[in-house]
Amino acid sequence: LGRIHWKKGLERTIRALRGTPVRLLMCGPDEEGHAAKLLALARDQGVERQVRLEGPVAGDDKWALLAGARCVVLASDNENFGNVIAEAMCVGRPVVVSDRTGVSEIVLRAGAGIVCGHDDASLQTALLALCEDPAQGDALGRAGKAYAQAELTWPVIAARMLDCYRPQGPQ
C-alpha cells in the first residue's frame, strides 16, 4: 500500500516470489508508469499468477486489506520511515522490511517482523518464513500491535515532540 515507485524495491519483491507460493498484492498510485514494468517483470519471472496490481486503496478498504494480509512488505532501496509498516503494526500484522528503511529499527525494537538484507534471497527467506509459519507471523503481529499502541499513538508522539522543543537547562 503506497506509491508504485522504483525506490520501493518492488522488482526485488517480485523476483523473491520465484519458487514460492507467496502472492503479492501491490496497491497504490502508479508513479512514472512503473506498474507496466513490474507486470512485465512478473511475466518474465514466471510469477504473473502470484502478482496483482490495484490502484490506490483508502479508508475502511485500506484497513481491511491490511488486517487480512499474511504480512506487509516494504523492501525499499531507501525509505525514511514507511507509514504502511506502522499501519500494519497497528492492525497486528507482521512486517518484512529491508535494512534500508528507517522503520527497520522500530520493527526490531518491537519484535514486529523480519528485517532482511537488500537482496532477493534474503527477502525470499523472510517471506517464506512467514508463509510457512503463520503462528510465528501472528506472534510478530501481536508484538507489533502492542508496540504501536504503546509507542506510535498521536498523544505519545506529540509528547515526545514537545519534549524535543522544551527549553533545557537554565533560562
Side-chain angles (χ1 to χ4, degrees), residues 17-158:
L17 299 178
R18 288 180 301 204
T20 76
V22 176
R23 296 180 318 206
L24 174 66
L25 173 59
M26 299 176 283
C27 300
D30 180 15
E31 293 193 0
E32 303 171 11
H34 196 60
K37 296 174 190 171
L38 294 171
L39 293 174
L41 175 63
R43 279 190 303 279
D44 292 345
Q45 296 294 310
V47 296
E48 65 273 9
R49 290 185 177 173
Q50 294 165 251
V51 174
R52 197 168 106 210
L53 181 63
E54 298 289 334
V57 179
D60 290 342
D61 291 338
K62 175 183 85 168
W63 293 108
L65 190 62
L66 282 168
R70 175 71 56 95
C71 69
V72 175
V73 180
L74 184 63
S76 295
D77 294 330
N78 68 41
E79 191 81 39
N80 61 352
F81 184 71
N83 289 338
V84 70
I85 298 303
E87 292 169 341
M89 290 169 59
C90 285
V91 297
R93 297 318 309 145
V95 298
V96 174
V97 299
S98 76
D99 56 9
R100 296 187 180 187
T101 62
V103 74
S104 63
E105 293 175 19
I106 290 173
V107 170
L108 289 173
R109 194 174 317 125
I114 300 172
V115 176
C116 64
H118 192 249
D119 61 276
D120 299 358
S122 179
L123 179 56
Q124 184 183 65
T125 299
L127 292 172
L128 281 172
L130 293 178
C131 182
E132 292 171 352
D133 190 353
Q136 176 197 16
D138 290 342
L140 294 170
R142 285 190 300 275
K145 185 173 184 174
Y147 183 91
Q149 289 173 337
E151 302 292 333
L152 301 180
T153 65
W154 283 119
V156 170
I157 293 168

